Amino acid sequence: MTVNDWYDQNRREAAARGQSAPERPPGKEGQSTNDEELQKEQQEKKEEEDDEEALQKARDWDDWKDTHPRGYGNRQNMG
């Protein structure tokens, strides 16, 4: 039994019971949108890496986290 046969059988059985069946996995038409999304994400990541201001901000935040451990804030009102 192939995967497509299983989906078809499962969909028919669910329709007979009146329940919603699992949807088919995306075919070739779904791959083009996934490729476009992947390219868009890679472009955004590249732009973030090239941005000097964002890089400096990330480095400053990392340095601040090194000197300020978690829970460092206002501890006066505990208890």
Side-chain angles (χ1 to χ4, degrees), residues 20-35:
S20 63
E23 304 222 0
R24 285 184 168 249
K28 294 191 184 247
E29 58 274 354
Q31 290 177 351
S32 63
T33 56
N34 290 338
D35 291 340

Side-chain angles (χ1 to χ4, degrees), residues 4-69:
N4 289 335
D5 294 338
W6 180 83
Y7 275 110
D8 292 336
Q9 179 184 1
N10 198 4
R11 191 171 18 140
R12 282 185 300 228
E13 290 174 0
R17 289 188 304 248
Q19 299 175 350
S20 63
E23 304 222 0
R24 285 184 168 249
K28 294 191 184 247
E29 58 274 354
Q31 290 177 351
S32 63
T33 56
N34 290 338
D35 291 340
E36 292 172 2
E37 291 175 6
L38 182 62
Q39 289 175 354
K40 187 177 180 181
E41 289 176 9
Q42 289 174 348
Q43 180 67 22
E44 289 176 0
K45 185 180 256 188
K46 183 178 178 186
E47 288 174 1
E48 289 175 1
E49 290 174 355
D50 292 341
D51 188 13
E52 293 296 325
E53 184 178 330
L55 183 61
Q56 186 61 39
K57 186 175 180 180
R59 286 181 180 163
D60 289 342
W61 177 248
D62 190 41
D63 291 340
W64 187 88
K65 288 192 329 183
D66 288 341
T67 58
H68 297 82

